Amino acid sequence: MTVITRFAPSPTGYLHLGHAASALFSMKQAGPHGRFLLRIEDIDQTRCRPEYLDAIYEDLAWLGLGWEQPVRVQSEHFADYQAVLDRLTDMGLLYPCFCTRKDIQAEIERIGNAPHGPDGALYPGTCRHCSAQERSDRIAAGESYALRLDMDAAIGRVGRELVWFDRSAGRQVATPEIFGDVVLARKDTPTSYHISVTHDDHLQGISLITRGQDLFFASHLHRLMQELLGYDVPEYHHHGLLTGPDGKRFAKRDKSKTLRSMREEGMTPDAVRDLADQF
Ligand code: GLU
């Protein structure tokens, strides 16, 4: 079977050494006989900027990476993600949530000792209990809302243990419940990372998902979504995260470590590749 991998950056800043390491790792895993894809994850139009998109193509090419054309750019496919949301709605697994951040915070404080997941305190479920009438009245009145997954219903629908395999951590039993009723779409971004990444990985036939360990837990949720949507189950390899001399993870805010600043300082692509070739 041909190995198909992808590197899927978001154009919200310039790429840094950690991105170079991740992209190189992905390309290496595809190997000479596999396929390596680049995908642009720009669903959050408030944070993405065209100059960062141009820089992704330019910096990766400078580094000597090649990828297949055409590149899938997620902002061109909102209709696809809407169709996925519609399928989950038809299964009765999504519900509108009208809560503001403040409402959620107040409810969490009221309950006390709220369970926490990878993204912080779990949603306390306030809007899960709204009647159909209340939902349609509030939507008709123009109230803004997000769509949340009814996690218990989703797990109940699958009705069996789900597993996935990570090449560095081994066999995993999926525990999507750690996310609670996670948001799958917002009014200003009518999809979410979880929807678009799961859909696109399936659509593009990605057989090995490589990405940083910071997204390890997300795979528990993605495994559930693959099952609900009848998608193929890829293998995973969550790699380590590069840290700077201070021991902190590289982040987009560390301007000194961007690939373009290294290039401007006169470093060669080979030298940067050597630094990035760590996994
Ligand atoms: N777009 C995500 C990021 O830039 C990566 C998503 C993934 O590899 O699954 O962090």
Side-chain angles (χ1 to χ4, degrees), residues 87-102:
R87 285 185 61 198
L88 293 171
T89 299
D90 290 347
M91 292 180 215
L93 299 179
L94 300 186
Y95 64 86
C97 170
F98 305 93
C99 295
T100 61
R101 270 177 215 279
K102 232 169 123 186

Side-chain angles (χ1 to χ4, degrees), residues 6-12 19 22 39-41 74 193 197 201 209-212 214-215 222 252:
R6 61 19 172 222
F7 174 57
S10 298
T12 54
H19 291 108
S22 194
R39 185 169 71 224
I40 302 298
E41 301 208 325
Q74 290 189 326
Y193 163 63
V197 83
D201 284 333
I209 294 178
T210 62
R211 58 183 171 210
D214 52 336
L215 288 167
H222 299 174
K252 282 184 175 144

